[in-house]
Amino acid sequence: MKQVLVFGLVVVLAFSVYYDLTEGTLPDRSGTGAADAPELQEETPGAQEQEVPPPLEISYQEVIVQSGHTVYTIVQALHQGQVIEANFERIVTDFELLNPQTDAHAIQTGQTYRFPIYPDQAQLQSQRP
């Protein structure tokens, strides 16, 4: 009887690990789940989605993402050793402002995205009166 119980527990454990790895048990961060689906607004026929221009106060550079790159590593590479005063959360927020409808944690290899460029702090201090 113990063997049947142990076998059953192993099967349940294996299934739960498989389900967790394939489907996931965390809530959907994109907000597309049925429970939190927003009310749909009527679209006019023929209306095309227009690309939202980036805010003017954020400088950016367009980069094609290579395998293994993250938003943070690309921003670091763009600054070539300069001290970046922005923390990780600000970099992610600015990236998502520059790339509407793009999750900073789900960028795709081969796609072109806008990455924020922050001014060098030494240059800012030298420009102050």
Side-chain angles (χ1 to χ4, degrees):
M1 184 67 185
K2 280 185 177 180
Q3 293 173 342
V4 172
L5 184 60
V6 170
F7 178 75
L9 288 174
V10 169
V11 169
V12 169
L13 179 65
F15 176 76
S16 64
V17 168
Y18 170 78
Y19 181 81
D20 189 39
L21 292 175
T22 57
E23 300 294 325
T25 56
L26 296 176
D28 188 12
R29 290 184 59 195
S30 66
T32 58
D36 44 289
E39 292 182 23
L40 297 177
Q41 297 178 354
E42 282 189 39
E43 293 184 23
T44 56
Q48 295 179 356
E49 187 175 319
Q50 295 179 355
E51 184 176 325
V52 178
L56 296 177
E57 63 272 2
I58 300 175
S59 298
Y60 68 89
Q61 182 172 344
E62 291 186 348
V63 175
I64 299 173
V65 176
Q66 302 297 320
S67 178
H69 287 173
T70 65
V71 170
Y72 191 70
T73 59
I74 292 172
V75 170
Q76 283 182 324
L78 291 175
H79 288 84
Q80 300 175 355
Q82 297 174 0
V83 176
I84 303 172
E85 292 295 321
N87 62 16
F88 179 75
E89 288 81 16
R90 179 172 175 208
I91 292 171
V92 168
T93 301
D94 290 347
F95 175 84
E96 290 177 347
L97 285 172
L98 290 168
N99 301 282
Q101 301 176 355
T102 301
D103 182 9
H105 303 287
I107 60 175
Q108 298 177 356
T109 302
Q111 296 295 317
T112 302
Y113 298 101
R114 296 174 178 147
F115 291 88
I117 300 291
Y118 300 102
D120 186 10
Q121 294 304 311
Q123 289 176 351
L124 286 178
Q125 290 175 355
S126 66
Q127 292 176 357
R128 291 182 184 162

